[in-house]
Amino acid sequence: KGRINMSQAILPPLAVLIDPGKLSAFAGLLDDCALPMLTLGTKPIVQHWVERLSEAGIKHFLMMVDNVPEKTRAFLGNGERWGVEIQYANIRKGQAHKAQISMVPSEDYGQVFIAQMAGFPKISLAEDLRDALSTMDVVSVDGIVHWTDQFAEQHQGALCKLDTEHVRLIDHPKAYWLANMDILSGKLEDPLPFGFPVGDGSWIASNCKVQNTVRSFPPIFLGENSILSKGVVIGPNVVVADRCVLDVGAFVKDSVVLSRTFIGSHIAIQNMIVSGDTVYRAEDDIFLHINDLEILAKNAHAHTSVTLLERLLAFISLLVLLLPSALVALQRKLTGKDALRNGTVYIEHGRDLNGYRQFKPVSVTSLNVSHRLWRKVPWLINVLRAELALVGSSPRINEAVEYPCWVSDAEDFVAGVISQADLVATDNDSFEEVVIADAYQLTRGEVGPHVGMWLKWLAGLFSFKH
């Protein structure tokens, strides 16, 4: 072990905390936010470091800032609110380690602790760090700073590297998401949560607006100046950073919502990290990007594509079924009942800039009979008009009907005259059973001009199970 001299003994220790920069693995999550400023539990990662090191007796900090440095400076200030002193130095892109080392002052401080803020400092760090600083000149956490060896050599000090078990590494979005889930569950402990405790395991910061109809399931951490509109369902296991808005009926579970993010009405978020227009799906380890201009462009060209084969099959069907349909209509007339009835179905037609689904009404004429398949025979005219596909999913009967996102977001979700639900469901079946039939149809790939489905539909017209 090294020994400290008398001049070092009377000088205060210094913590050098380094912003690891814009890590490529985080993609759009770090476009407008430094990694140390990402919310972990109830506060940013950098605040966890300041509090943990202050507990170990370090009151002087040098923040080596890189990505979006002004936001880190604005949040930390001079450190007065934590009872510490914070100074700053900018890391320039491509800067050599030797140049970075030269920015660390040595004449005014004794021992130096160096760490990258690409991790969560555990409680055990403070105790081991106090012991290390009593005998060593330079202390770091093994494996998370590249130039501590050179720094110790330049300053002729003894080097101690603490075990990585003291820090939960956050070098990937999934690791960041998991760390938040573990803080919520208590696997990672934060002894100084920020905000006001509300029930078991829930913390809400100041100036939040939460409507009375919001349903919450702890644990939940809600940041400052956030708004939860009526009908929102939030939790369990949700971290919402500051200045976020969850609009009417939004559903958020097992997710992290970063600062200044708007979640639209009736949008469902689960197992995700959401930041502005960037979404990370933890289960699939993929990023999605919401581009407003792309939404507009798709909406401008949104239409129902009906192939020539579909129109040909619809025309053949109308010729075959014209006489039976006329006889059914005549029978209804003779009994004093209406032969036809008019209605409207709604076809999804893209989204607006707020993310709301847009629908195009399509007028349909049906035979006024109880048989599910015969009732839709006149809809074949809508296929000839290219308003409905021949084979597809069940059209919505009103705009309020909501399909699950895993159904409605499928590329092949096209409303058609012939659907799987027509072949297996009855008029008494619930909407849920119709959705299950549509989902089964999508997974089988039985959409588009599927001749097999068309033949099944024709055969079903002359059965009586409907």
Side-chain angles (χ1 to χ4, degrees):
K1 290 186 177 181
R3 297 180 178 274
I4 59 174
N5 57 42
M6 290 302 294
S7 62
Q8 287 176 313
I10 61 175
L11 293 175
L14 172 71
V16 181
L17 298 181
I18 304 167
D19 176 1
K22 194 173 180 180
L23 302 181
S24 58
F26 280 80
L29 294 180
L30 300 182
D31 282 347
D32 195 37
C33 181
L35 179 61
M37 287 299 297
L38 290 180
T39 300
L40 201 53
T42 62
K43 53 203 174 192
I45 294 173
V46 65
Q47 185 173 343
H48 288 283
W49 278 100
V50 170
E51 291 174 352
R52 194 72 77 238
L53 298 182
S54 177
E55 182 187 349
I58 298 179
K59 302 297 180 181
H60 298 271
F61 293 80
L62 173 66
M63 296 289 172
M64 298 184 69
V65 291
D66 185 347
N67 184 39
V68 201
E70 65 279 3
K71 292 193 174 181
T72 304
R73 288 172 178 262
F75 174 75
L76 294 174
N78 61 9
E80 183 178 0
R81 60 175 163 162
W82 294 285
V84 301
E85 179 185 292
I86 298 177
Q87 297 177 314
Y88 300 89
N90 285 352
I91 299 175
R92 293 175 176 82
K93 301 298 180 186
Q95 191 175 47
H97 290 162
K98 186 174 182 180
Q100 294 179 18
I101 293 170
S102 67
M103 292 189 289
V104 180
S106 57
E107 63 279 1
D108 297 328
Y109 300 98
Q111 294 73 42
V112 177
F113 172 75
I114 307 174
Q116 277 188 341
M117 290 178 286
F120 172 77
K122 300 179 183 178
I123 290 179
S124 60
L125 177 66
E127 183 176 344
D128 280 23
L129 181 55
R130 277 194 297 266
D131 293 340
L133 289 173
S134 67
T135 57
M136 295 294 180
D137 301 318
V138 182
V139 181
S140 71
V141 178
D142 189 27
I144 65 169
V145 174
H146 301 296
W147 44 264
T148 47
D149 293 305
Q150 297 98 312
F151 180 82
E153 182 179 348
Q154 178 176 324
H155 291 270
Q156 300 180 344
L159 172 64
C160 172
K161 292 185 178 181
L162 302 178
D163 291 337
T164 53
E165 66 182 18
H166 295 303
V167 174
R168 174 73 167 269
L169 192 62
I170 299 175
D171 58 351
H172 188 275
K174 190 159 190 176
Y176 169 65
W177 177 80
L178 284 171
N180 269 292
M181 297 301 106
D182 286 346
I183 288 178
L184 287 160
S185 66
K187 293 180 182 178
L188 287 177
E189 187 177 349
D190 176 12
L192 297 171
F194 179 73
F196 304 96
V198 181
D200 183 24
S202 296
W203 294 78
I204 297 181
S206 59
N207 300 316
C208 290
K209 183 178 180 181
V210 181
Q211 295 286 352
N212 293 333
T213 55
V214 169
R215 288 188 293 159
S216 61
F217 303 91
I220 299 164
F221 297 157
L222 185 59
E224 290 184 295
N225 300 298
S226 290
I227 299 174
L228 272 59
S229 300
K230 63 181 180 180
V232 166
V233 179
I234 181 171
N237 303 317
V238 173
V239 172
V240 176
D242 60 296
R243 295 171 176 81
C244 294
V245 176
L246 275 61
D247 205 0
V248 177
F251 172 85
V252 183
K253 178 183 178 184
D254 299 322
S255 296
V256 181
V257 182
L258 298 182
S259 297
R260 301 177 185 274
T261 295
F262 175 84
I263 307 265
S265 174
H266 299 96
I267 295 296
I269 302 295
Q270 186 169 0
N271 298 323
M272 294 183 183
I273 304 170
V274 186
S275 177
D277 58 2
T278 300
V279 176
Y280 172 77
R281 286 208 319 229
E283 287 183 327
D284 305 318
D285 189 24
I286 61 171
F287 279 95
L288 303 173
H289 183 69
I290 303 168
N291 188 308
D292 292 341
L293 294 178
E294 289 179 3
I295 291 173
L296 283 179
K298 288 180 180 179
N299 289 350
H301 300 93
H303 62 281
T304 303
S305 177
V306 180
T307 65
L308 183 61
L309 176 58
E310 289 178 276
R311 295 186 188 190
L312 178 61
L313 293 177
F315 181 72
I316 294 172
S317 302
L318 282 171
L319 289 179
V320 172
L321 300 173
L322 181 61
L323 181 58
S325 299
L327 292 175
V328 170
L330 179 61
Q331 185 269 337
R332 297 290 294 177
K333 283 288 187 182
L334 293 175
T335 57
K337 299 176 182 177
D338 292 332
L340 302 173
R341 61 183 180 188
N342 297 319
T344 303
V345 295
Y346 295 87
I347 311 301
E348 191 166 323
H349 199 64
R351 295 173 181 258
D352 63 15
L353 284 177
N354 292 319
Y356 298 120
R357 299 183 186 278
Q358 301 295 291
F359 298 95
K360 177 180 69 175
V362 175
S363 298
V364 292
T365 300
S366 307
L367 280 175
N368 192 17
V369 294
S370 59
H371 195 288
R372 187 185 185 96
L373 304 186
W374 278 102
R375 190 166 59 234
K376 294 172 69 174
V377 166
W379 290 23
L380 295 170
I381 297 174
N382 296 96
V383 179
L384 298 179
R385 294 173 179 169
E387 294 175 331
L388 289 173
L390 179 66
V391 176
S393 305
S394 302
R396 298 171 187 256
I397 57 173
N398 62 69
E399 294 179 87
V401 172
E402 282 291 336
Y403 279 83
C405 60
W406 45 268
V407 176
S408 58
D409 288 347
E411 291 183 1
D412 295 325
F413 188 83
V414 178
V417 173
I418 303 171
S419 70
Q420 182 72 22
D422 292 330
L423 304 179
V424 300
T426 67
D427 286 337
N428 297 323
D429 284 338
S430 66
F431 170 70
E432 182 181 41
E433 289 169 309
V434 173
V435 171
I436 292 171
D438 285 339
Y440 174 79
Q441 182 179 349
L442 286 169
T443 57
R444 290 287 301 273
E446 294 177 334
V447 290
H450 194 280
V451 177
M453 286 283 288
W454 174 66
L455 292 174
K456 289 180 185 179
W457 184 75
L458 286 177
L461 285 169
F462 299 97
S463 69
F464 296 96
K465 71 173 183 175
H466 295 281

